[in-house]
Amino acid sequence: MEHVALIPARAGSKSIINKNLIRLDGMETITEKAVKLAKTSRIFKKIILSSDIEYFLDSDNDIWGDVVRHERPDKLCTDAALMKDVVKDAIESCKVEEDAWVWLLQPTTPFRKLKDFRQIKKKLDTSGCRSVISLRDVEETHPSRMYTIHGDKAFPLKRGNFHNKQDLNPVFIRNGAFYVFKAKDFLIKESFFIEPCHGHVMPYQRSVNIDGPMDLYIAKNIIEKRLVI
């Protein structure tokens, strides 16, 4: 069964300028880190970089040797562009086999490990799932502790929401590190959630998704203090 890694890295970002060019360790960019880890996993027949960043598209660095560098159309390089459209464009433009497993690896979730790849590959090989999405426990932000506000009045989303943490059923949120699905399923449903979908749970320290300045601050502190587990 063919496996294809798809790494999306556009230039524009309002929250952090040149977000996909961030160097957390002062050496390689988070995009290069994603490419290198995908290569090291030895899972992928093809690695596709979808980008409009000249530094990546034109570089002759050895890392890009066997990477398919797909220049993303301008209409898919805006803040309004949807990731599903970026994925569809890459699958069709790069002629990904319909039966291939596509692994969407966003550079902004940079704390993946090889063991994540191995564990997800095992799910794909043995569980009969049609998609895998990486998740983390919401912990203290459990929906049973949340409120809405109408006017100045607060209303709990769930009545009787004063529970001890250990009494609450675990709830998980996507962390952005892995979305894995069959190309043909995605083209039909245009969704990363394809049933039966299995979750791949990752710890908080490796689930940081760099979307804004605070996320970047946390990611840099994780690197500096070696908190990745």
Side-chain angles (χ1 to χ4, degrees):
M1 188 70 68
E2 182 175 319
H3 293 261
V4 174
L6 174 55
I7 300 171
R10 72 181 179 93
S13 175
K14 289 183 177 179
S15 56
I16 301 176
I17 303 299
N18 294 325
K19 183 165 62 176
N20 287 303
L21 289 164
I22 290 170
R23 300 175 188 268
L24 290 175
D25 57 4
M27 299 172 63
E28 61 195 8
T29 68
I30 57 174
T31 303
E32 291 165 332
K33 180 180 176 66
V35 170
K36 279 181 135 180
L37 194 58
K39 284 186 172 186
T40 305
S41 74
R42 297 183 178 276
I43 289 174
F44 303 106
K45 182 176 181 180
K46 183 185 293 184
I47 298 174
I48 301 170
L49 174 72
S50 172
S51 183
D52 61 334
I53 301 175
E54 291 184 8
Y55 174 77
F56 297 142
L57 295 175
D58 298 335
S59 172
D60 58 359
N61 190 305
D62 288 346
I63 187 177
W64 308 111
D66 52 356
V67 175
V68 177
R69 288 181 277 182
H70 171 55
E71 186 169 358
R72 192 186 302 183
D74 291 343
K75 66 181 181 180
L76 296 178
C77 297
T78 68
D79 288 325
L82 300 177
M83 184 55 68
K84 70 179 184 67
D85 294 326
V86 172
V87 172
K88 183 179 180 182
D89 171 68
I91 288 174
E92 294 177 343
S93 299
C94 299
K95 296 179 171 55
V96 174
E97 295 289 334
E98 285 191 349
D99 204 41
W101 286 107
V102 178
W103 298 54
L104 178 61
L105 308 174
Q106 299 183 106
T108 48
T109 311
F111 296 119
R112 303 175 190 86
K113 287 194 171 184
L114 286 176
K115 65 180 180 180
D116 296 309
F117 288 84
R118 290 193 293 266
Q119 290 166 3
I120 291 174
K121 176 70 162 48
K122 185 175 180 180
K123 290 179 189 288
L124 301 178
D125 290 342
T126 63
S127 71
C129 65
R130 299 296 291 183
S131 63
V132 175
I133 295 176
S134 58
L135 309 167
R136 71 164 176 86
D137 195 318
V138 300
E139 299 180 350
E140 74 282 356
T141 56
H142 196 285
S144 291
R145 295 178 169 182
M146 293 183 177
Y147 289 74
T148 59
I149 293 180
H150 298 280
D152 289 331
K153 294 181 180 179
F155 299 90
L157 290 180
K158 184 176 180 180
R159 293 191 179 276
N161 65 344
F162 289 91
H163 296 286
N164 291 326
K165 178 181 177 181
Q166 59 270 25
D167 295 329
L168 297 171
N169 290 326
V171 174
F172 301 88
I173 189 170
R174 300 183 306 242
N175 70 359
F178 293 92
Y179 295 92
V180 187
F181 44 86
K182 284 282 187 74
K184 61 183 178 182
D185 289 338
F186 174 81
L187 292 174
I188 292 170
K189 298 181 179 295
E190 294 194 355
S191 173
F192 305 131
F193 175 78
I194 299 165
E195 297 182 282
C197 177
H198 284 211
H200 173 68
V201 179
M202 296 170 63
Y204 173 82
Q205 292 96 322
R206 295 199 295 107
S207 293
V208 175
N209 190 344
I210 304 173
D211 188 48
M214 183 55 70
D215 303 318
L216 179 56
Y217 173 80
I218 293 171
K220 286 183 175 179
N221 270 269
I222 287 173
I223 291 289
E224 291 171 6
K225 297 180 181 178
R226 300 182 180 181
L227 298 177
V228 176
I229 58 175

